[in-house]
Amino acid sequence: MRYTALAALAGLVLSGCGDESTGTPPPSAQSTPTPTDPTVTESTPVGVGLPMTITRTGGFAGFDDQVQVAADGVATVSSRGKETVRCKLDPTLLTPLVSAAEQVDWASLTMVKPTVRHPDDMIIAVSANGKVARLEDPKLKPLTAPVSKLLTEAKIPPGNLCKPL
């Protein structure tokens, strides 16, 4: 009797797993997008991505940097122990940043503050459209190169690609 009950319980547990290889969602999960819902194939991005805030914290060097980029290309650059600088990003830096930001599906990101994963973890986080994610998040891949260049070139005092206002 005990083995029969155990076998029945195991059958119930395993039947709940289902076969996920078909890729067909249950009928209640299927939905047909309405014409007003944005889709991946539309040319209009889910969010333009500007204004955007990029932060770099932690790491062995103890970074505490922030770059806020407004829609007009004006950046506010701050770093621990240094005076905050406002500057206009050069088009050779702003254009790739805007283009990359338009490729990100901001709606798919969750609002989770990045946390330290290990000692001396350097966190580079990008915030836009009410969402925040680590730069290494696969959904932010288009932003990797432009953000890295921004953190290098728009440093304090303003680098070559950030002209003081």
Side-chain angles (χ1 to χ4, degrees), residues 54-66 78 80 113-125 134 151:
I54 296 112
T55 58
R56 176 173 54 184
T57 57
F60 183 73
F63 287 103
D64 188 9
D65 304 327
Q66 179 173 301
S78 62
R80 178 184 13 234
K113 182 181 178 187
T115 58
V116 175
R117 296 180 181 161
H118 54 80
D120 296 328
D121 186 16
M122 183 170 62
I123 300 172
I124 298 176
R134 280 178 168 257
L151 288 172

Side-chain angles (χ1 to χ4, degrees), residues 32-132:
T32 305
T34 61
T36 59
D37 289 343
T39 63
V40 176
T41 58
E42 290 180 0
S43 61
T44 306
V46 173
V48 294
L50 292 180
M52 175 186 296
T53 301
I54 296 112
T55 58
R56 176 173 54 184
T57 57
F60 183 73
F63 287 103
D64 188 9
D65 304 327
Q66 179 173 301
V67 180
Q68 296 174 324
V69 181
D72 62 358
V74 172
T76 304
V77 184
S78 62
S79 186
R80 178 184 13 234
K82 298 180 180 175
E83 191 172 323
T84 299
V85 174
R86 289 193 54 194
C87 58
K88 178 78 172 175
L89 296 179
D90 188 274
T92 60
L93 184 56
L94 183 61
T95 302
L97 183 67
V98 170
S99 176
E102 289 174 347
Q103 295 174 42
V104 174
D105 181 7
W106 295 101
S108 71
L109 294 174
T110 57
M111 184 59 183
V112 178
K113 182 181 178 187
T115 58
V116 175
R117 296 180 181 161
H118 54 80
D120 296 328
D121 186 16
M122 183 170 62
I123 300 172
I124 298 176
V126 179
S127 304
N129 294 308
K131 306 294 177 92
V132 64

